[in-house]
PDB file of all heavy atoms in Angstrom:
ATOM      1  N   SER F  21     114.392  87.416 115.466  1.00  0.00           N
ATOM      2  CA  SER F  21     114.250  88.030 114.145  1.00  0.00           C
ATOM      3  C   SER F  21     114.371  86.981 113.054  1.00  0.00           C
ATOM      4  O   SER F  21     114.916  85.888 113.272  1.00  0.00           O
ATOM      5  CB  SER F  21     115.307  89.124 113.945  1.00  0.00           C
ATOM      6  OG  SER F  21     116.598  88.538 113.891  1.00  0.00           O
ATOM      7  N   ARG F  22     113.905  87.347 111.892  1.00  0.00           N
ATOM      8  CA  ARG F  22     114.034  86.498 110.715  1.00  0.00           C
ATOM      9  C   ARG F  22     114.162  87.417 109.516  1.00  0.00           C
ATOM     10  O   ARG F  22     113.359  88.299 109.302  1.00  0.00           O
ATOM     11  CB  ARG F  22     112.796  85.634 110.547  1.00  0.00           C
ATOM     12  CG  ARG F  22     112.856  84.747 109.350  1.00  0.00           C
ATOM     13  CD  ARG F  22     111.700  83.754 109.334  1.00  0.00           C
ATOM     14  NE  ARG F  22     111.802  82.950 108.146  1.00  0.00           N
ATOM     15  CZ  ARG F  22     110.913  82.943 107.173  1.00  0.00           C
ATOM     16  NH1 ARG F  22     109.829  83.683 107.283  1.00  0.00           N
ATOM     17  NH2 ARG F  22     111.073  82.198 106.133  1.00  0.00           N
ATOM     18  N   MET F  23     115.192  87.204 108.727  1.00  0.00           N
ATOM     19  CA  MET F  23     115.434  87.987 107.535  1.00  0.00           C
ATOM     20  C   MET F  23     114.676  87.306 106.370  1.00  0.00           C
ATOM     21  O   MET F  23     114.815  86.105 106.158  1.00  0.00           O
ATOM     22  CB  MET F  23     116.914  88.086 107.208  1.00  0.00           C
ATOM     23  CG  MET F  23     117.745  88.744 108.298  1.00  0.00           C
ATOM     24  SD  MET F  23     117.211  90.432 108.575  1.00  0.00           S
ATOM     25  CE  MET F  23     118.101  90.866 110.021  1.00  0.00           C
ATOM     26  N   VAL F  24     113.904  88.083 105.661  1.00  0.00           N
ATOM     27  CA  VAL F  24     113.087  87.582 104.564  1.00  0.00           C
ATOM     28  C   VAL F  24     113.430  88.377 103.309  1.00  0.00           C
ATOM     29  O   VAL F  24     113.464  89.604 103.350  1.00  0.00           O
ATOM     30  CB  VAL F  24     111.580  87.707 104.873  1.00  0.00           C
ATOM     31  CG1 VAL F  24     110.732  87.189 103.744  1.00  0.00           C
ATOM     32  CG2 VAL F  24     111.256  87.014 106.176  1.00  0.00           C
ATOM     33  N   SER F  25     113.651  87.674 102.208  1.00  0.00           N
ATOM     34  CA  SER F  25     113.992  88.341 100.959  1.00  0.00           C
ATOM     35  C   SER F  25     112.748  88.976 100.349  1.00  0.00           C
ATOM     36  O   SER F  25     111.604  88.629 100.674  1.00  0.00           O
ATOM     37  CB  SER F  25     114.621  87.366  99.979  1.00  0.00           C
ATOM     38  OG  SER F  25     113.655  86.453  99.517  1.00  0.00           O
ATOM     39  N   GLU F  26     112.951  89.866  99.384  1.00  0.00           N
ATOM     40  CA  GLU F  26     111.829  90.502  98.711  1.00  0.00           C
ATOM     41  C   GLU F  26     111.003  89.453  97.951  1.00  0.00           C
ATOM     42  O   GLU F  26     109.781  89.540  97.922  1.00  0.00           O
ATOM     43  CB  GLU F  26     112.355  91.541  97.716  1.00  0.00           C
ATOM     44  CG  GLU F  26     111.272  92.383  97.090  1.00  0.00           C
ATOM     45  CD  GLU F  26     111.810  93.523  96.257  1.00  0.00           C
ATOM     46  OE1 GLU F  26     112.952  93.944  96.497  1.00  0.00           O
ATOM     47  OE2 GLU F  26     111.075  93.966  95.361  1.00  0.00           O
ATOM     48  N   GLU F  27     111.667  88.441  97.380  1.00  0.00           N
ATOM     49  CA  GLU F  27     110.959  87.385  96.665  1.00  0.00           C
ATOM     50  C   GLU F  27     110.041  86.614  97.615  1.00  0.00           C
ATOM     51  O   GLU F  27     108.927  86.238  97.239  1.00  0.00           O
ATOM     52  CB  GLU F  27     111.947  86.432  95.975  1.00  0.00           C
ATOM     53  CG  GLU F  27     112.693  87.030  94.813  1.00  0.00           C
ATOM     54  CD  GLU F  27     113.925  87.845  95.267  1.00  0.00           C
ATOM     55  OE1 GLU F  27     114.422  87.651  96.398  1.00  0.00           O
ATOM     56  OE2 GLU F  27     114.351  88.690  94.486  1.00  0.00           O
ATOM     57  N   GLU F  28     110.524  86.350  98.833  1.00  0.00           N
ATOM     58  CA  GLU F  28     109.710  85.631  99.798  1.00  0.00           C
ATOM     59  C   GLU F  28     108.478  86.449 100.196  1.00  0.00           C
ATOM     60  O   GLU F  28     107.390  85.914 100.380  1.00  0.00           O
ATOM     61  CB  GLU F  28     110.525  85.268 101.043  1.00  0.00           C
ATOM     62  CG  GLU F  28     111.549  84.178 100.809  1.00  0.00           C
ATOM     63  CD  GLU F  28     112.454  83.964 101.998  1.00  0.00           C
ATOM     64  OE1 GLU F  28     113.058  84.942 102.487  1.00  0.00           O
ATOM     65  OE2 GLU F  28     112.557  82.802 102.415  1.00  0.00           O
ATOM     66  N   MET F  29     108.656  87.785 100.300  1.00  0.00           N
ATOM     67  CA  MET F  29     107.536  88.659 100.631  1.00  0.00           C
ATOM     68  C   MET F  29     106.510  88.634  99.503  1.00  0.00           C
ATOM     69  O   MET F  29     105.301  88.574  99.766  1.00  0.00           O
ATOM     70  CB  MET F  29     108.031  90.094 100.873  1.00  0.00           C
ATOM     71  CG  MET F  29     108.887  90.271 102.098  1.00  0.00           C
ATOM     72  SD  MET F  29     107.962  90.119 103.614  1.00  0.00           S
ATOM     73  CE  MET F  29     107.043  91.645 103.560  1.00  0.00           C
ATOM     74  N   GLU F  30     106.983  88.669  98.263  1.00  0.00           N
ATOM     75  CA  GLU F  30     106.065  88.631  97.115  1.00  0.00           C
ATOM     76  C   GLU F  30     105.319  87.302  97.054  1.00  0.00           C
ATOM     77  O   GLU F  30     104.133  87.260  96.759  1.00  0.00           O
ATOM     78  CB  GLU F  30     106.816  88.890  95.822  1.00  0.00           C
ATOM     79  CG  GLU F  30     107.308  90.307  95.693  1.00  0.00           C
ATOM     80  CD  GLU F  30     108.246  90.530  94.542  1.00  0.00           C
ATOM     81  OE1 GLU F  30     108.668  89.551  93.877  1.00  0.00           O
ATOM     82  OE2 GLU F  30     108.576  91.699  94.274  1.00  0.00           O
ATOM     83  N   ASP F  31     106.043  86.197  97.330  1.00  0.00           N
ATOM     84  CA  ASP F  31     105.409  84.878  97.334  1.00  0.00           C
ATOM     85  C   ASP F  31     104.308  84.818  98.397  1.00  0.00           C
ATOM     86  O   ASP F  31     103.248  84.245  98.173  1.00  0.00           O
ATOM     87  CB  ASP F  31     106.436  83.787  97.576  1.00  0.00           C
ATOM     88  CG  ASP F  31     107.344  83.546  96.383  1.00  0.00           C
ATOM     89  OD1 ASP F  31     107.051  84.047  95.285  1.00  0.00           O
ATOM     90  OD2 ASP F  31     108.387  82.872  96.565  1.00  0.00           O
ATOM     91  N   ALA F  32     104.598  85.388  99.561  1.00  0.00           N
ATOM     92  CA  ALA F  32     103.621  85.366 100.655  1.00  0.00           C
ATOM     93  C   ALA F  32     102.391  86.197 100.252  1.00  0.00           C
ATOM     94  O   ALA F  32     101.247  85.780 100.537  1.00  0.00           O
ATOM     95  CB  ALA F  32     104.231  85.933 101.921  1.00  0.00           C
ATOM     96  N   ALA F  33     102.591  87.341  99.594  1.00  0.00           N
ATOM     97  CA  ALA F  33     101.466  88.172  99.170  1.00  0.00           C
ATOM     98  C   ALA F  33     100.630  87.426  98.133  1.00  0.00           C
ATOM     99  O   ALA F  33      99.389  87.428  98.200  1.00  0.00           O
ATOM    100  CB  ALA F  33     101.962  89.482  98.605  1.00  0.00           C
ATOM    101  N   LEU F  34     101.275  86.785  97.183  1.00  0.00           N
ATOM    102  CA  LEU F  34     100.564  86.029  96.158  1.00  0.00           C
ATOM    103  C   LEU F  34      99.776  84.884  96.782  1.00  0.00           C
ATOM    104  O   LEU F  34      98.602  84.648  96.438  1.00  0.00           O
ATOM    105  CB  LEU F  34     101.534  85.502  95.109  1.00  0.00           C
ATOM    106  CG  LEU F  34     100.927  84.817  93.896  1.00  0.00           C
ATOM    107  CD1 LEU F  34      99.942  85.731  93.186  1.00  0.00           C
ATOM    108  CD2 LEU F  34     102.021  84.378  92.936  1.00  0.00           C
ATOM    109  N   ALA F  35     100.376  84.188  97.736  1.00  0.00           N
ATOM    110  CA  ALA F  35      99.688  83.089  98.430  1.00  0.00           C
ATOM    111  C   ALA F  35      98.463  83.607  99.171  1.00  0.00           C
ATOM    112  O   ALA F  35      97.395  82.982  99.181  1.00  0.00           O
ATOM    113  CB  ALA F  35     100.616  82.382  99.385  1.00  0.00           C
ATOM    114  N   LYS F  36      98.606  84.779  99.804  1.00  0.00           N
ATOM    115  CA  LYS F  36      97.478  85.356 100.520  1.00  0.00           C
ATOM    116  C   LYS F  36      96.340  85.702  99.555  1.00  0.00           C
ATOM    117  O   LYS F  36      95.173  85.438  99.852  1.00  0.00           O
ATOM    118  CB  LYS F  36      97.962  86.638 101.250  1.00  0.00           C
ATOM    119  CG  LYS F  36      96.912  87.317 102.074  1.00  0.00           C
ATOM    120  CD  LYS F  36      97.470  88.533 102.771  1.00  0.00           C
ATOM    121  CE  LYS F  36      96.403  89.278 103.533  1.00  0.00           C
ATOM    122  NZ  LYS F  36      96.950  90.453 104.221  1.00  0.00           N
ATOM    123  N   TRP F  37      96.673  86.268  98.401  1.00  0.00           N
ATOM    124  CA  TRP F  37      95.643  86.593  97.388  1.00  0.00           C
ATOM    125  C   TRP F  37      94.957  85.337  96.884  1.00  0.00           C
ATOM    126  O   TRP F  37      93.767  85.314  96.674  1.00  0.00           O
ATOM    127  CB  TRP F  37      96.245  87.369  96.213  1.00  0.00           C
ATOM    128  CG  TRP F  37      96.728  88.737  96.570  1.00  0.00           C
ATOM    129  CD1 TRP F  37      96.304  89.522  97.602  1.00  0.00           C
ATOM    130  CD2 TRP F  37      97.724  89.473  95.862  1.00  0.00           C
ATOM    131  NE1 TRP F  37      96.992  90.691  97.598  1.00  0.00           N
ATOM    132  CE2 TRP F  37      97.875  90.717  96.548  1.00  0.00           C
ATOM    133  CE3 TRP F  37      98.523  89.233  94.762  1.00  0.00           C
ATOM    134  CZ2 TRP F  37      98.756  91.683  96.124  1.00  0.00           C
ATOM    135  CZ3 TRP F  37      99.392  90.213  94.335  1.00  0.00           C
ATOM    136  CH2 TRP F  37      99.519  91.404  95.018  1.00  0.00           C
ATOM    137  N   ILE F  38      95.742  84.293  96.662  1.00  0.00           N
ATOM    138  CA  ILE F  38      95.173  83.032  96.182  1.00  0.00           C
ATOM    139  C   ILE F  38      94.208  82.476  97.237  1.00  0.00           C
ATOM    140  O   ILE F  38      93.087  82.068  96.894  1.00  0.00           O
ATOM    141  CB  ILE F  38      96.294  82.006  95.827  1.00  0.00           C
ATOM    142  CG1 ILE F  38      97.025  82.459  94.567  1.00  0.00           C
ATOM    143  CG2 ILE F  38      95.678  80.616  95.651  1.00  0.00           C
ATOM    144  CD1 ILE F  38      98.276  81.653  94.263  1.00  0.00           C
ATOM    145  N   ASP F  39      94.621  82.473  98.491  1.00  0.00           N
ATOM    146  CA  ASP F  39      93.740  81.960  99.565  1.00  0.00           C
ATOM    147  C   ASP F  39      92.478  82.780  99.639  1.00  0.00           C
ATOM    148  O   ASP F  39      91.364  82.249  99.763  1.00  0.00           O
ATOM    149  CB  ASP F  39      94.462  82.003 100.920  1.00  0.00           C
ATOM    150  CG  ASP F  39      95.498  80.907 101.072  1.00  0.00           C
ATOM    151  OD1 ASP F  39      95.461  79.938 100.276  1.00  0.00           O
ATOM    152  OD2 ASP F  39      96.335  81.032 101.967  1.00  0.00           O
ATOM    153  N   ALA F  40      92.594  84.101  99.550  1.00  0.00           N
ATOM    154  CA  ALA F  40      91.414  84.963  99.606  1.00  0.00           C
ATOM    155  C   ALA F  40      90.537  84.711  98.399  1.00  0.00           C
ATOM    156  O   ALA F  40      89.311  84.681  98.508  1.00  0.00           O
ATOM    157  CB  ALA F  40      91.838  86.441  99.655  1.00  0.00           C
ATOM    158  N   GLY F  41      91.131  84.530  97.252  1.00  0.00           N
ATOM    159  CA  GLY F  41      90.365  84.276  96.021  1.00  0.00           C
ATOM    160  C   GLY F  41      89.643  82.938  96.072  1.00  0.00           C
ATOM    161  O   GLY F  41      88.534  82.804  95.515  1.00  0.00           O
ATOM    162  N   MET F  42      90.213  81.971  96.724  1.00  0.00           N
ATOM    163  CA  MET F  42      89.564  80.675  96.854  1.00  0.00           C
ATOM    164  C   MET F  42      88.294  80.790  97.716  1.00  0.00           C
ATOM    165  O   MET F  42      87.353  80.029  97.538  1.00  0.00           O
ATOM    166  CB  MET F  42      90.521  79.648  97.474  1.00  0.00           C
ATOM    167  CG  MET F  42      91.728  79.348  96.609  1.00  0.00           C
ATOM    168  SD  MET F  42      91.302  78.559  95.064  1.00  0.00           S
ATOM    169  CE  MET F  42      91.005  76.899  95.616  1.00  0.00           C
ATOM    170  N   LYS F  43      88.262  81.775  98.607  1.00  0.00           N
ATOM    171  CA  LYS F  43      87.120  81.943  99.488  1.00  0.00           C
ATOM    172  C   LYS F  43      86.059  82.892  98.887  1.00  0.00           C
ATOM    173  O   LYS F  43      84.887  82.665  99.021  1.00  0.00           O
ATOM    174  CB  LYS F  43      87.557  82.493 100.848  1.00  0.00           C
ATOM    175  CG  LYS F  43      88.426  81.523 101.618  1.00  0.00           C
ATOM    176  CD  LYS F  43      88.933  82.123 102.882  1.00  0.00           C
ATOM    177  CE  LYS F  43      89.909  81.175 103.563  1.00  0.00           C
ATOM    178  NZ  LYS F  43      90.604  81.826 104.663  1.00  0.00           N
ATOM    179  N   THR F  44      86.531  83.985  98.229  1.00  0.00           N
ATOM    180  CA  THR F  44      85.580  85.019  97.795  1.00  0.00           C
ATOM    181  C   THR F  44      85.520  85.234  96.287  1.00  0.00           C
ATOM    182  O   THR F  44      84.586  85.785  95.781  1.00  0.00           O
ATOM    183  CB  THR F  44      85.935  86.356  98.425  1.00  0.00           C
ATOM    184  OG1 THR F  44      87.211  86.774  97.945  1.00  0.00           O
ATOM    185  CG2 THR F  44      85.976  86.291  99.946  1.00  0.00           C
ATOM    186  N   GLU F  45      86.588  84.849  95.591  1.00  0.00           N
ATOM    187  CA  GLU F  45      86.727  85.081  94.159  1.00  0.00           C
ATOM    188  C   GLU F  45      86.695  86.555  93.797  1.00  0.00           C
ATOM    189  O   GLU F  45      86.318  86.929  92.694  1.00  0.00           O
ATOM    190  CB  GLU F  45      85.650  84.310  93.377  1.00  0.00           C
ATOM    191  CG  GLU F  45      85.759  82.809  93.574  1.00  0.00           C
ATOM    192  CD  GLU F  45      84.701  82.043  92.813  1.00  0.00           C
ATOM    193  OE1 GLU F  45      84.070  82.620  91.936  1.00  0.00           O
ATOM    194  OE2 GLU F  45      84.525  80.862  93.118  1.00  0.00           O
ATOM    195  N   ASP F  46      87.095  87.454  94.710  1.00  0.00           N
ATOM    196  CA  ASP F  46      87.059  88.909  94.493  1.00  0.00           C
ATOM    197  C   ASP F  46      88.438  89.539  94.347  1.00  0.00           C
ATOM    198  O   ASP F  46      88.562  90.741  94.507  1.00  0.00           O
ATOM    199  CB  ASP F  46      86.310  89.603  95.627  1.00  0.00           C
ATOM    200  CG  ASP F  46      84.834  89.305  95.639  1.00  0.00           C
ATOM    201  OD1 ASP F  46      84.322  88.911  94.561  1.00  0.00           O
ATOM    202  OD2 ASP F  46      84.211  89.453  96.694  1.00  0.00           O
ATOM    203  N   ILE F  47      89.479  88.780  94.053  1.00  0.00           N
ATOM    204  CA  ILE F  47      90.812  89.332  93.914  1.00  0.00           C
ATOM    205  C   ILE F  47      90.937  89.919  92.494  1.00  0.00           C
ATOM    206  O   ILE F  47      90.697  89.211  91.535  1.00  0.00           O
ATOM    207  CB  ILE F  47      91.907  88.263  94.137  1.00  0.00           C
ATOM    208  CG1 ILE F  47      91.732  87.625  95.503  1.00  0.00           C
ATOM    209  CG2 ILE F  47      93.291  88.834  93.967  1.00  0.00           C
ATOM    210  CD1 ILE F  47      91.827  88.568  96.670  1.00  0.00           C
ATOM    211  N   PRO F  48      91.320  91.187  92.391  1.00  0.00           N
ATOM    212  CA  PRO F  48      91.455  91.789  91.073  1.00  0.00           C
ATOM    213  C   PRO F  48      92.559  91.081  90.266  1.00  0.00           C
ATOM    214  O   PRO F  48      93.679  90.928  90.718  1.00  0.00           O
ATOM    215  CB  PRO F  48      91.854  93.228  91.358  1.00  0.00           C
ATOM    216  CG  PRO F  48      91.495  93.475  92.779  1.00  0.00           C
ATOM    217  CD  PRO F  48      91.570  92.134  93.453  1.00  0.00           C
ATOM    218  N   ILE F  49      92.223  90.671  89.075  1.00  0.00           N
ATOM    219  CA  ILE F  49      93.148  89.949  88.234  1.00  0.00           C
ATOM    220  C   ILE F  49      94.381  90.794  87.883  1.00  0.00           C
ATOM    221  O   ILE F  49      95.463  90.284  87.706  1.00  0.00           O
ATOM    222  CB  ILE F  49      92.457  89.406  86.951  1.00  0.00           C
ATOM    223  CG1 ILE F  49      93.387  88.442  86.212  1.00  0.00           C
ATOM    224  CG2 ILE F  49      92.092  90.517  86.012  1.00  0.00           C
ATOM    225  CD1 ILE F  49      92.870  87.065  86.248  1.00  0.00           C
ATOM    226  N   GLN F  50      94.180  92.136  87.854  1.00  0.00           N
ATOM    227  CA  GLN F  50      95.282  93.037  87.516  1.00  0.00           C
ATOM    228  C   GLN F  50      96.380  92.943  88.546  1.00  0.00           C
ATOM    229  O   GLN F  50      97.558  93.003  88.203  1.00  0.00           O
ATOM    230  CB  GLN F  50      94.794  94.455  87.395  1.00  0.00           C
ATOM    231  CG  GLN F  50      95.797  95.403  86.787  1.00  0.00           C
ATOM    232  CD  GLN F  50      96.246  94.953  85.386  1.00  0.00           C
ATOM    233  OE1 GLN F  50      95.442  94.551  84.568  1.00  0.00           O
ATOM    234  NE2 GLN F  50      97.528  95.008  85.144  1.00  0.00           N
ATOM    235  N   LYS F  51      96.080  92.738  89.828  1.00  0.00           N
ATOM    236  CA  LYS F  51      97.096  92.600  90.866  1.00  0.00           C
ATOM    237  C   LYS F  51      97.953  91.362  90.595  1.00  0.00           C
ATOM    238  O   LYS F  51      99.159  91.388  90.773  1.00  0.00           O
ATOM    239  CB  LYS F  51      96.471  92.489  92.253  1.00  0.00           C
ATOM    240  CG  LYS F  51      96.026  93.783  92.840  1.00  0.00           C
ATOM    241  CD  LYS F  51      95.630  93.604  94.276  1.00  0.00           C
ATOM    242  CE  LYS F  51      95.271  94.923  94.905  1.00  0.00           C
ATOM    243  NZ  LYS F  51      94.943  94.783  96.324  1.00  0.00           N
ATOM    244  N   VAL F  52      97.312  90.272  90.202  1.00  0.00           N
ATOM    245  CA  VAL F  52      98.042  89.047  89.913  1.00  0.00           C
ATOM    246  C   VAL F  52      98.947  89.254  88.712  1.00  0.00           C
ATOM    247  O   VAL F  52     100.125  88.898  88.743  1.00  0.00           O
ATOM    248  CB  VAL F  52      97.078  87.856  89.681  1.00  0.00           C
ATOM    249  CG1 VAL F  52      97.840  86.612  89.254  1.00  0.00           C
ATOM    250  CG2 VAL F  52      96.247  87.611  90.930  1.00  0.00           C
ATOM    251  N   PHE F  53      98.427  89.854  87.641  1.00  0.00           N
ATOM    252  CA  PHE F  53      99.244  90.113  86.438  1.00  0.00           C
ATOM    253  C   PHE F  53     100.394  91.034  86.743  1.00  0.00           C
ATOM    254  O   PHE F  53     101.519  90.828  86.253  1.00  0.00           O
ATOM    255  CB  PHE F  53      98.381  90.686  85.303  1.00  0.00           C
ATOM    256  CG  PHE F  53      97.530  89.673  84.620  1.00  0.00           C
ATOM    257  CD1 PHE F  53      96.215  89.975  84.276  1.00  0.00           C
ATOM    258  CD2 PHE F  53      97.994  88.404  84.320  1.00  0.00           C
ATOM    259  CE1 PHE F  53      95.411  89.061  83.622  1.00  0.00           C
ATOM    260  CE2 PHE F  53      97.205  87.487  83.682  1.00  0.00           C
ATOM    261  CZ  PHE F  53      95.917  87.810  83.351  1.00  0.00           C
ATOM    262  N   ASP F  54     100.176  92.083  87.552  1.00  0.00           N
ATOM    263  CA  ASP F  54     101.256  93.008  87.914  1.00  0.00           C
ATOM    264  C   ASP F  54     102.377  92.287  88.655  1.00  0.00           C
ATOM    265  O   ASP F  54     103.556  92.498  88.355  1.00  0.00           O
ATOM    266  CB  ASP F  54     100.730  94.162  88.757  1.00  0.00           C
ATOM    267  CG  ASP F  54      99.824  95.135  88.000  1.00  0.00           C
ATOM    268  OD1 ASP F  54      99.855  95.087  86.739  1.00  0.00           O
ATOM    269  OD2 ASP F  54      99.129  95.892  88.644  1.00  0.00           O
ATOM    270  N   LEU F  55     102.026  91.426  89.591  1.00  0.00           N
ATOM    271  CA  LEU F  55     103.027  90.685  90.325  1.00  0.00           C
ATOM    272  C   LEU F  55     103.789  89.741  89.437  1.00  0.00           C
ATOM    273  O   LEU F  55     105.007  89.616  89.501  1.00  0.00           O
ATOM    274  CB  LEU F  55     102.389  89.932  91.498  1.00  0.00           C
ATOM    275  CG  LEU F  55     103.352  89.190  92.424  1.00  0.00           C
ATOM    276  CD1 LEU F  55     104.293  90.191  93.090  1.00  0.00           C
ATOM    277  CD2 LEU F  55     102.585  88.432  93.461  1.00  0.00           C
ATOM    278  N   LEU F  56     103.067  89.044  88.544  1.00  0.00           N
ATOM    279  CA  LEU F  56     103.721  88.126  87.617  1.00  0.00           C
ATOM    280  C   LEU F  56     104.656  88.870  86.668  1.00  0.00           C
ATOM    281  O   LEU F  56     105.771  88.430  86.403  1.00  0.00           O
ATOM    282  CB  LEU F  56     102.695  87.339  86.826  1.00  0.00           C
ATOM    283  CG  LEU F  56     101.882  86.313  87.643  1.00  0.00           C
ATOM    284  CD1 LEU F  56     100.760  85.721  86.800  1.00  0.00           C
ATOM    285  CD2 LEU F  56     102.763  85.217  88.193  1.00  0.00           C
ATOM    286  N   ARG F  57     104.215  90.004  86.143  1.00  0.00           N
ATOM    287  CA  ARG F  57     105.043  90.811  85.244  1.00  0.00           C
ATOM    288  C   ARG F  57     106.307  91.324  85.970  1.00  0.00           C
ATOM    289  O   ARG F  57     107.382  91.335  85.420  1.00  0.00           O
ATOM    290  CB  ARG F  57     104.245  92.005  84.712  1.00  0.00           C
ATOM    291  CG  ARG F  57     104.215  92.046  83.206  1.00  0.00           C
ATOM    292  CD  ARG F  57     103.455  93.221  82.659  1.00  0.00           C
ATOM    293  NE  ARG F  57     102.038  92.878  82.562  1.00  0.00           N
ATOM    294  CZ  ARG F  57     101.067  93.462  83.252  1.00  0.00           C
ATOM    295  NH1 ARG F  57     101.314  94.423  84.080  1.00  0.00           N
ATOM    296  NH2 ARG F  57      99.811  93.083  83.107  1.00  0.00           N
ATOM    297  N   LYS F  58     106.138  91.696  87.213  1.00  0.00           N
ATOM    298  CA  LYS F  58     107.259  92.193  88.014  1.00  0.00           C
ATOM    299  C   LYS F  58     108.327  91.122  88.175  1.00  0.00           C
ATOM    300  O   LYS F  58     109.508  91.401  88.258  1.00  0.00           O
ATOM    301  CB  LYS F  58     106.772  92.636  89.396  1.00  0.00           C
ATOM    302  CG  LYS F  58     107.832  93.260  90.251  1.00  0.00           C
ATOM    303  CD  LYS F  58     107.232  93.765  91.564  1.00  0.00           C
ATOM    304  CE  LYS F  58     108.310  94.377  92.434  1.00  0.00           C
ATOM    305  NZ  LYS F  58     107.762  94.815  93.709  1.00  0.00           N
ATOM    306  N   ASN F  59     107.901  89.847  88.172  1.00  0.00           N
ATOM    307  CA  ASN F  59     108.844  88.728  88.323  1.00  0.00           C
ATOM    308  C   ASN F  59     109.271  88.138  87.012  1.00  0.00           C
ATOM    309  O   ASN F  59     109.802  87.051  86.986  1.00  0.00           O
ATOM    310  CB  ASN F  59     108.218  87.670  89.231  1.00  0.00           C
ATOM    311  CG  ASN F  59     108.162  88.113  90.669  1.00  0.00           C
ATOM    312  OD1 ASN F  59     109.168  88.538  91.218  1.00  0.00           O
ATOM    313  ND2 ASN F  59     106.997  88.054  91.290  1.00  0.00           N
ATOM    314  N   GLY F  60     109.025  88.842  85.921  1.00  0.00           N
ATOM    315  CA  GLY F  60     109.569  88.419  84.619  1.00  0.00           C
ATOM    316  C   GLY F  60     108.636  87.650  83.705  1.00  0.00           C
ATOM    317  O   GLY F  60     109.033  87.243  82.639  1.00  0.00           O
TER     318      GLY F  60
END
């Protein structure tokens, strides 16, 4: 097992979106803004 904090989960999701965006450029900007706003 491995315990992962909520922040680490959010970082992983953001990294996944960035990787997908680098390939397709189809990531909704609102998702990125929502995640950034959630983190202050």
Side-chain angles (χ1 to χ4, degrees):
S21 67
R22 179 172 179 244
M23 300 298 171
V24 180
S25 70
E26 188 173 336
E27 291 83 20
E28 289 173 307
M29 293 289 289
E30 290 171 352
D31 289 346
L34 186 56
K36 182 179 176 180
W37 293 336
I38 290 170
D39 286 344
M42 295 295 283
K43 294 175 186 170
T44 65
E45 298 180 15
D46 290 339
I47 303 301
I49 191 112
Q50 192 58 43
K51 281 189 176 183
V52 175
F53 284 139
D54 290 344
L55 184 62
L56 291 172
R57 236 181 274 114
K58 184 177 180 182
N59 288 309

